[in-house]
Amino acid sequence: MTSPQSPLTLVRATQRAPRSCITCAKRRVKCDKNIPCQECISRGIEASCKRETVKVKGKILSSRSLSQETQLSYQQLLEENQRLKAQLAKPAISLPRNDKGYGVVRNITESFERDLFETVKHPSRTSTVLSETDIVWPSASCAASIISFARIWTSWIHCAIHHPTFEAECDAFWRLGRHLHGNEVENYLWLSIYFGILSSALLFMEEAEAVESGIAEEVRLKLLHWYDASLFYLHRSDFLRNHHLRSVQAIAILGIVFNNVGDSDLHYSLWGAAIRIAQGLKMGLDRENADEDPIQQQIRRRLWWTIVLCEWLPVPYRTPCILEADFDIELPASLHDDEYLTGRRDGTPQPTLIDYHIAMSQISIHYHRFRFAVRQSKGSLEDIFPLVIAADESLASFIEQLPEHLRPEQVQTTQVSSQSLETPLDPWKVWQRGNLCVVLLYYRIVINRVLQDQWIHDPVTFARTRSICLSSARGIIEMTKAYTHPVARHRPWPISFHLFSAAIVLVVEVRFHPGDKRDDYMSDIRSCVDFLNEIKDQSTVASRAVEILGMQIRDLETRT
């Protein structure tokens, strides 16, 4: 039996002692080499800031010994003091320059968002479906009930299918006990779509609604199982070699589920594959698809814009692999599914499920153009500041162009009447309107927080962007608290993410500029945690957000 190793034998040997702290090195961000460093101080974890203990040329070097070795002399300290005085005397505030010329500045809120998504990744999870014999199939009546629910609550999120056509295919499948496509690849892809629809619908379902549909076991377990079944058939189709519209449809539908179950890396990889497949099929070029019928045309346009808007509104932000010059396609038409062939029955505009998708596509265009302009700028404050103001005003003016049933002003951010939340015929209208308002508030935060470093150090000069971020953050929180929809409708990961980001904006404000609103901000942050606690069992994003916000609250309380 081997004896336990001494702690010294576990120390990593290296040729050079690390200068960055362990946290910055792990997060792969720039460290200022001080202990504690500015990154850790701004995140409230300065107490745990330290360098890795390593062995260099046989000598053990710890954070303490490294600090001692780098201790400055009295003369060096005087010189450093003079340098800092000269730096502080400069009248202008400059944005950090990016070596690649993107001009994107560091902001604390975005770093928290990236950390959240790093923590929700599940390194491994054994799939519940390794072969077809592992799949637990729903009865026809159970599946029909869930698909009917999906038409109202998820079809306008992924916009991947024409529901009347899909429902007809399902009827044939249940009646004959098999799918009708002669091509094996198409058969597998159709089943991937089928289970993806079932899985994503369960994300929105209350336990009571699931039981009424015929599901006897816990909703999350069934959701995961059908999610695994969808991925099983997607991979069985060998979709990377067999490019097909249905594989893009399946991935777009699963996009609702990926992050909720902790598969953010898989989401990133499959979304990239969906983009390349869609480009290979020339889905983004209307002129290349002149022979399609009206249904095929609208499915293609809806699906393409789903792919684009999710690529242009990524969380956390990454450089997109689609540019406006890469495609030439109209936005989808504002039609009900049964109006594709006939057009509007009376010719007058009516609220449709697809209006939300069109609005989200337009928001993605606004934001993409802003990020592209920032990347093309020189990175100076004089370049960035006008871009922020113009983008924010553009987004604000866009609200006036929305269909009446989607305009945020129809919903007050401080209260929502119970009567307005009860719309028996169209329960999706209030949910769409409220969610779109949250999205608009979030992207006003994202645009204005580009200057977050500046307003932290100079809250007066940058009062406008600071005020917009704070009011938008509180607006998101107030709207979330006001809604009386079933909790299950709030499980999708973007809702948890937007609420988390709003809370972090207030956390940063309390840390650097508490002022007389500190107690109000702390109350809002705690209300975020309370809401996220209600849905964390069904959302990995919500669960991790609760942990991070809980740590921040405890740290802020110790500073009072």
Side-chain angles (χ1 to χ4, degrees):
M1 187 167 133
T2 60
S3 59
Q5 289 182 302
S6 163
L8 292 180
T9 64
L10 301 178
V11 174
R12 181 172 65 91
T14 181
Q15 295 297 316
R16 186 174 61 180
R19 295 300 178 190
S20 297
C21 72
I22 294 175
T23 302
C24 288
K26 185 177 180 180
R27 294 177 58 237
R28 297 181 181 178
V29 299
K30 187 174 181 180
C31 182
D32 63 14
K33 311 298 188 294
N34 295 318
I35 299 294
C37 68
Q38 189 57 44
E39 274 285 337
C40 290
I41 292 172
S42 65
R43 293 169 54 79
I45 55 173
E46 60 267 31
S48 62
C49 183
K50 61 181 180 179
R51 299 188 185 93
E52 179 188 6
T53 299
V54 295
K55 183 188 294 184
V56 179
K57 298 180 180 180
K59 182 180 179 181
I60 301 296
L61 297 179
S62 63
S63 289
R64 183 181 180 87
S65 60
L66 285 169
S67 299
Q68 291 172 342
E69 285 188 2
T70 57
Q71 188 172 9
L72 298 176
S73 67
Y74 179 71
Q75 182 59 36
Q76 289 173 318
L77 287 172
L78 289 176
E79 293 173 357
E80 178 68 6
N81 193 27
Q82 292 300 319
R83 188 188 68 80
L84 291 174
K85 283 183 178 180
Q87 185 71 21
L88 290 171
K90 293 181 180 179
I93 304 173
S94 300
L95 289 177
R97 292 297 301 271
N98 186 300
D99 291 340
K100 296 182 179 180
Y102 292 167
V104 180
V105 302
R106 179 186 72 86
N107 63 70
I108 299 171
T109 308
E110 187 170 302
S111 71
F112 271 97
E113 291 178 352
R114 294 185 183 280
D115 286 352
L116 174 62
F117 268 81
E118 283 297 318
T119 62
V120 301
K121 295 176 184 177
H122 286 304
S124 63
R125 182 180 69 82
T126 303
S127 174
T128 60
V129 178
L130 301 178
S131 68
E132 279 190 307
T133 58
D134 294 329
I135 299 175
V136 179
W137 294 76
S139 66
S141 61
C142 175
S145 177
I146 296 172
I147 290 170
S148 177
F149 178 91
R151 184 171 188 170
I152 297 174
W153 289 108
T154 63
S155 66
W156 44 270
I157 298 177
H158 57 70
C159 294
I161 61 174
H162 181 242
H163 251 276
T165 300
F166 179 71
E167 289 168 5
E169 293 170 342
C170 288
D171 287 339
F173 174 64
W174 298 325
R175 186 176 66 254
L176 301 175
R178 60 184 175 85
H179 22 89
L180 298 178
H181 305 293
N183 185 299
E184 189 178 60
V185 169
E186 286 194 50
N187 289 337
Y188 290 143
L189 289 173
W190 187 87
L191 286 171
S192 180
I193 293 170
Y194 179 73
F195 281 110
I197 293 288
L198 297 177
S199 177
S200 59
L202 288 187
L203 191 61
F204 282 76
M205 272 190 167
E206 289 281 297
E207 292 284 346
E209 292 171 323
V211 170
E212 187 177 344
S213 296
I215 296 176
E217 62 186 285
E218 186 182 339
V219 172
R220 181 169 176 80
L221 295 178
K222 186 61 73 177
L223 183 156
L224 284 170
H225 180 70
W226 286 341
Y227 167 76
D228 289 340
S230 179
L231 288 174
F232 170 80
Y233 281 116
L234 179 64
H235 289 294
R236 193 161 187 181
S237 71
D238 200 11
F239 72 100
L240 292 175
R241 290 192 179 92
N242 301 300
H243 287 189
H244 199 284
L245 175 73
R246 289 191 183 275
S247 59
V248 183
Q249 290 175 307
I251 294 170
I253 294 164
L254 289 172
I256 299 175
V257 186
F258 284 125
N259 290 327
N260 265 77
V261 300
D263 266 345
S264 55
D265 278 346
L266 183 61
H267 184 191
Y268 178 78
S269 300
L270 287 183
W271 208 262
I275 290 170
R276 295 307 180 208
I277 293 170
Q279 289 176 323
L281 297 174
K282 299 182 179 179
M283 288 176 55
L285 299 171
D286 279 343
R287 64 178 179 274
E288 297 290 341
N289 296 275
D291 297 332
E292 60 192 2
D293 63 41
I295 291 179
Q296 292 172 328
Q297 180 190 71
Q298 289 304 314
I299 290 175
R300 175 180 58 80
R301 287 178 177 174
R302 289 182 178 189
L303 185 56
W304 174 262
W305 278 104
T306 295
I307 295 297
V308 169
L309 75 89
C310 291
E311 181 66 11
W312 284 358
L313 301 176
V315 176
Y317 182 79
R318 61 178 181 271
T319 303
C321 58
I322 302 177
L323 300 177
E324 283 192 81
D326 296 336
F327 59 91
D328 183 13
I329 183 174
E330 293 184 18
L331 287 168
S334 176
L335 297 171
H336 294 287
D337 280 356
D338 55 0
E339 294 177 331
Y340 279 0
L341 297 176
T342 62
R344 288 200 182 278
R345 297 186 187 92
D346 56 5
T348 59
Q350 297 291 331
T352 67
L353 287 167
I354 198 66
D355 289 336
Y356 176 88
H357 182 258
I358 296 171
M360 287 295 293
S361 299
Q362 292 169 325
I363 292 171
S364 75
I365 294 171
H366 280 270
Y367 183 61
H368 172 71
R369 288 174 178 172
F370 165 68
R371 293 302 297 231
F372 186 80
V374 170
R375 289 170 55 197
Q376 296 299 111
S377 73
K378 298 177 180 179
S380 66
L381 182 59
E382 291 74 16
D383 290 328
I384 299 293
F385 189 77
L387 295 177
V388 170
I389 301 303
D392 182 72
E393 291 177 348
S394 174
L395 197 59
S397 64
F398 163 71
I399 295 173
E400 300 174 3
Q401 305 168 21
L402 289 170
E404 185 176 351
H405 70 286
L406 290 178
R407 290 179 189 169
E409 61 262 29
Q410 298 293 323
V411 178
Q412 300 297 320
T413 59
T414 55
Q415 66 177 46
V416 180
S417 67
S418 59
Q419 183 179 1
S420 70
L421 291 173
E422 299 297 332
T423 314
L425 294 178
D426 296 315
W428 45 272
K429 284 184 182 177
V430 174
W431 198 98
Q432 284 190 346
R433 184 174 56 200
N435 195 62
L436 189 65
C437 184
V438 168
V439 170
L440 287 166
L441 289 172
Y442 172 73
Y443 279 99
R444 291 197 76 184
I445 291 174
V446 172
I447 289 170
N448 284 277
R449 75 184 185 194
V450 167
L451 300 174
Q452 188 175 51
D453 276 354
Q454 276 61 47
W455 89 56
I456 285 175
H457 296 99
D458 187 355
V460 175
T461 303
F462 298 94
R464 182 185 191 275
T465 54
R466 176 191 176 205
S467 176
I468 290 172
C469 282
L470 292 174
S471 61
S472 297
R474 301 196 75 187
I476 289 173
I477 296 168
E478 288 299 321
M479 288 200 67
T480 306
K481 289 193 297 185
Y483 291 145
T484 59
H485 278 304
V487 172
R489 306 293 189 263
H490 299 282
R491 288 180 190 147
W493 66 268
I495 296 173
S496 300
F497 177 81
H498 293 150
L499 198 57
F500 170 80
S501 186
I504 290 298
V505 169
L506 300 184
V507 166
V508 173
E509 183 67 12
V510 172
R511 185 178 303 284
F512 291 99
H513 305 291
D516 56 1
K517 291 188 177 181
R518 182 187 187 282
D519 291 342
D520 293 338
Y521 294 155
M522 290 297 294
S523 177
D524 285 342
I525 296 166
R526 291 190 184 94
S527 70
C528 288
V529 174
D530 292 340
F531 182 88
L532 293 169
N533 268 320
E534 293 187 50
I535 58 175
K536 68 178 183 180
D537 292 340
Q538 298 278 357
S539 171
T540 305
V541 174
S543 177
R544 297 293 187 247
V546 167
E547 294 177 9
I548 295 173
L549 290 176
M551 291 174 58
Q552 293 302 313
I553 289 173
R554 290 190 293 273
D555 179 70
L556 292 174
E557 288 174 340
T558 61
R559 292 170 179 260
T560 58

